[in-house]
Amino acid sequence: MFDERSPIYLQIAEQIKNDIVTGTLAEDEQVMSTNQYAAFYRINPATAAKGFAQLVDEGVLYKKRGIGMFVSPNARDLLRSDRKEVFFTDVVEPVIREAQALGVSLRDVIHYIRKYGDS
């Protein structure tokens, strides 16, 4: 599951964020404990805890003392908002620049998106 591209704790945080964005994890839903997560994925519990701590710092998860970690209210909206900005900057802007370099009109790009976006 984990790769060498980035630290495991960041990959843990990203996986949980993806689960929230896709609706696999709902707001106020309890997530696995760091020990359960570490046992399931066979990683060091401190590594899992570091990923969870990052999510708490970002406001994605919150802790109920003695109970565990939960998905924060509005976490999905927060993450989607952050990802929209990244999507436009990292995906859409390069597409526009490439289209301009190739002499493809934005009208043609929009037509293509509409044509295949409804499929």
Side-chain angles (χ1 to χ4, degrees), residues 6-53:
S6 63
I8 291 174
Y9 79 94
L10 291 176
Q11 293 179 61
I12 290 167
E14 195 59 34
Q15 178 187 354
I16 292 170
K17 287 178 183 180
N18 286 337
D19 288 346
I20 293 168
V21 168
T22 62
T24 303
L25 286 172
E27 294 174 357
D28 292 313
E29 182 175 344
Q30 188 171 10
V31 298
M32 281 193 286
S33 73
T34 55
N35 287 335
Q36 289 170 321
Y37 206 91
F40 185 81
Y41 289 107
R42 297 179 183 193
I43 60 172
N44 187 315
T47 301
K50 191 171 180 180
F52 279 56

Side-chain angles (χ1 to χ4, degrees), residues 20 25-31 60-62 64 67-76:
I20 293 168
L25 286 172
E27 294 174 357
D28 292 313
E29 182 175 344
Q30 188 171 10
V31 298
V60 174
L61 297 180
Y62 68 95
K64 286 186 181 179
I67 299 174
M69 296 282 194
F70 293 80
V71 177
S72 296
N74 301 317
R76 187 173 189 207

Side-chain angles (χ1 to χ4, degrees), residues 96-113:
I96 292 169
R97 285 193 298 275
E98 183 69 11
Q100 290 169 335
L102 296 173
V104 176
S105 73
L106 289 180
R107 177 178 282 140
D108 287 343
V109 172
I110 292 166
H111 173 76
Y112 188 88
I113 291 169

